[in-house]
Amino acid sequence: MDSARVVQFVLGNHETHWRDLERLDESAIDREPGRFVGGRNSWIAQTYLRLRMSLVARGWTVGVGSRFVPGAVAVVHRDDANDFVGAGHASFLVVVRADRAPVTACDLAVAQNRIGLASHERFVPLWPQPGLRARDCTRGTAIRRIAYHGRTGKAPAWFFDATLRSALEARGVEFRIERARWDDYREVDVSIAAREETGAILATKPATKIYNGWLARVPVLATAEPAYREIRRSAMDFIEIAAAGDVLRAIDLLRANPRLFEAMVDNGVRRGEEFSVEATRRRWVDLLEEEVAPAFERARAGLGSRWLWHWRAMAAQKALSRAHRVRTAYERWADGSELPARPRSDAGSGQRAADHLADVAR
């Protein structure tokens, strides 16, 4: 191994939020999951802790801080790689796009879904929910609680529909919205993955709510987000919903077909292996070892003289950011309510999907 290989995890909030990061080990992620929420924290701070020992064992020198290290590989969130000034041009730039506009001022970009990948983009999924606590298996196939884990700023209006809650209560089912305890699925029987946003925004989102549900051993009901549909391989991966009525039909279907409930859980266990911490760690290590390291070696000698390339690439990146904001604003304006219209639930197609799922479970 080349001991001269250096990777710096660049965190713009290192001095304000992560001065203890070098002293932490990977177990801190499960002990304090709330610290690893948000773009920089989940993508950079967490990735540093998840990868540090594996990379050191392979001959890398691994650092973390608020500044770029000239002549090193930099793993950095787009928000911290969006300036004309600074030493970024002298690093080999591996920039995490996250849910932002495309990245051009980079050597390689990491995307959190596979939607429309450019030639310089590579898909690496966001880590599963830190500290995830799976469903209590003694709950069997009973459905007494469904839950949404996440922020509610873009939640569908039907989340708060009294009619839906009354209909669920009549079935003996509670709908819980977990705004803070995103890791806790112990008393959850079915997970909801739904939000209302523009197409431009949804195209950048990850599929984390789907594979968190798989890893938590619960069936998932999900709206038709691009990333959700992209990772779907069969009807068992999740039941697609668009409105409150679809939720009720899905709950009735699962309650009437315990074998379907079990089959969806078993399928999720298998699918979740693709997105586990270990699988995601392997993706990162393979990317750095097999693609970044050779490209870094080829580019190393010329990194210090790339300021003009970086300036031009950053100008293009700023233009893409403006275009992304304009498209998002236009889509919200065109809807008339700053949000895209909710898809209409088609009862006929919903029933056909339910019949198909029941057949699969038999």
Side-chain angles (χ1 to χ4, degrees):
M1 292 296 176
D2 183 357
S3 60
R5 291 188 300 179
V6 179
V7 58
Q8 175 80 352
F9 289 82
V10 179
L11 265 170
N13 62 348
H14 180 268
E15 300 304 316
T16 56
H17 292 76
W18 291 108
R19 297 185 70 176
D20 64 337
L21 188 56
E22 293 91 328
R23 298 191 299 273
L24 301 179
D25 59 26
E26 189 174 357
S27 65
I29 298 169
D30 288 339
R31 288 198 310 270
E32 302 179 87
R35 293 189 70 184
F36 297 87
V37 173
R40 294 179 177 97
N41 305 327
S42 58
W43 270 110
I44 307 302
Q46 181 176 192
T47 302
Y48 165 75
L49 290 180
R50 299 282 193 200
L51 299 187
R52 180 174 54 186
M53 299 307 295
S54 295
L55 292 177
V56 168
R58 288 167 172 78
W60 290 78
T61 299
V62 182
V64 65
S66 60
R67 299 181 182 278
F68 292 91
V69 174
V73 174
V75 177
V76 56
H77 191 281
R78 190 187 192 279
D79 290 353
D80 292 328
N82 202 36
D83 294 321
F84 284 97
V85 298
H89 71 279
S91 297
F92 187 93
L93 294 166
V94 179
V95 180
V96 176
R97 176 182 174 180
D99 51 0
R100 301 293 191 261
V103 181
T104 55
C106 66
D107 294 282
L108 204 68
V110 171
Q112 59 190 3
N113 66 42
R114 292 189 182 91
I115 310 303
L117 289 180
S119 61
H120 68 292
E121 293 180 317
R122 303 293 181 268
F123 168 64
V124 179
L126 180 58
W127 301 96
Q129 176 62 41
L132 186 69
R133 291 179 285 181
R135 181 177 186 260
D136 180 356
C137 63
T138 65
R139 295 175 71 86
T141 60
I143 300 177
R144 300 190 295 275
R145 177 179 292 167
I146 65 176
Y148 166 82
H149 296 75
R151 299 183 179 94
T152 57
K154 301 300 181 183
W158 50 264
F159 268 33
F160 311 100
D161 186 346
T163 302
L164 170 61
R165 292 181 178 272
S166 294
L168 288 169
E169 288 173 5
R171 292 164 167 80
V173 178
E174 174 193 10
F175 183 12
R176 175 75 63 86
I177 296 177
E178 292 288 1
R179 294 178 174 85
R181 297 188 306 167
W182 297 358
D183 56 305
D184 194 352
Y185 286 76
R186 290 173 297 176
E187 297 181 357
V188 173
D189 302 309
V190 174
S191 178
I192 303 286
R195 64 185 141 212
E196 293 183 332
E197 253 297 0
T198 69
I201 296 295
L202 290 180
T204 69
K205 293 294 185 180
T208 42
K209 283 186 171 58
I210 301 295
Y211 51 81
N212 283 341
W214 291 342
L215 292 166
R217 305 178 70 91
V218 296
V220 180
L221 314 183
T223 50
E225 288 194 20
Y228 296 171
R229 285 187 161 181
E230 193 282 322
I231 68 167
R232 194 179 200 185
R233 300 292 177 264
S234 78
M236 304 302 292
D237 287 344
F238 60 86
I239 299 175
E240 196 165 287
I241 58 172
D246 299 328
V247 174
L248 295 174
R249 281 189 286 274
I251 296 301
D252 289 344
L253 173 67
L254 289 167
R255 293 178 74 191
N257 295 273
R259 290 181 62 188
L260 174 59
F261 186 106
E262 293 173 342
M264 291 189 72
V265 170
D266 291 342
N267 174 77
V269 170
R270 292 190 296 272
R271 290 300 316 277
E273 292 176 358
E274 303 170 42
F275 301 93
S276 67
V277 168
E278 285 306 318
T280 304
R281 193 191 334 266
R282 286 195 298 271
R283 286 176 184 264
W284 267 109
V285 171
D286 288 349
L287 177 68
L288 291 168
E289 286 275 287
E290 297 174 9
E291 187 164 3
V292 171
F296 170 55
E297 290 301 323
R298 292 192 297 270
R300 188 201 296 252
L303 290 177
S305 60
R306 300 198 308 171
W307 63 269
L308 181 58
W309 162 81
H310 188 259
W311 194 95
R312 289 172 173 168
M314 188 59 65
Q317 185 165 299
K318 294 287 188 181
L320 288 170
S321 294
R322 289 192 294 272
H324 183 70
R325 290 194 296 270
V326 168
R327 179 184 170 189
T328 300
Y330 174 77
E331 289 181 356
R332 288 174 173 166
W333 171 83
D335 177 65
S337 62
E338 293 195 347
L339 284 174
R342 290 192 293 275
R344 295 179 180 176
S345 177
D346 178 58
S349 64
Q351 186 59 54
R352 288 193 295 273
D355 291 344
H356 173 64
L357 280 167
D359 288 341
V360 169
R362 289 192 182 107

